[in-house]
Amino acid sequence: MKRILNIVEYNKASLWIRLANNFIDVIIIYIINYLLSIICNFLYKITSIEFFYFYSNGSILWSFFIGNFNYCLYYFLMENYFDGKTVSKYITGTKVISTDGTKPTTQQITYRTLSRIVPFDGLSFLGINGWHDSWSDTRVINLKNYMSEIQAKSEIDSLGEKEIA
């Protein structure tokens, strides 16, 4: 278990911001899935490969599987390769970080992503932290507040040091 810094806990994004993040990301994922369905229908007409037909016209079980796969892929790729941010986190000025204030590892992002498909994960935010935050030792922070507090602490720590001109 990683240590939890107070500065991270004090600057967590609010429940309403987290809800907005979820809403925006779900819309983005639906758009991606819709575009992939259109592309697969087009590719099926050109190539007659059954996979492309099955992608957009498969059973409910297949739709559930491919939807969850795309959902996990979106969150993993965005949070792992775009500095802990998804599209919604860029819009709302939030970011995923480790509880110790560092950049999350790929393993943490993997745990975070996979725990999102646990049923009722969204309801886990009625407590203090959601399951995908707690299980992966990560938090979503308000980046502007976090950075200003880091800078203020840095300035306090540098009091009394000689300035070199």
Side-chain angles (χ1 to χ4, degrees), residues 15-16 25 34 67 69 91-92 95-96 110 113 134 146 157:
L15 181 62
W16 293 107
D25 282 334
Y34 181 73
F69 178 77
I91 293 170
T92 60
K95 176 182 178 174
V96 174
T110 302
T113 301
S134 299
Y146 179 76
D157 289 342

Side-chain angles (χ1 to χ4, degrees), residues 15 31 42 56 63 68 89 119 124 140 146-147 155 161 163:
L15 181 62
I31 291 170
F42 177 73
S56 58
S63 298
N68 277 332
K89 288 179 182 74
S124 69
V140 175
Y146 179 76
M147 294 309 289
E155 289 173 1
E161 292 180 6
E163 291 186 19

Side-chain angles (χ1 to χ4, degrees), residues 45 56 69 97 104 116 126 147 150:
K45 289 178 183 177
S56 58
F69 178 77
I97 64 170
R116 289 177 189 273
L126 298 176
M147 294 309 289
I150 291 283

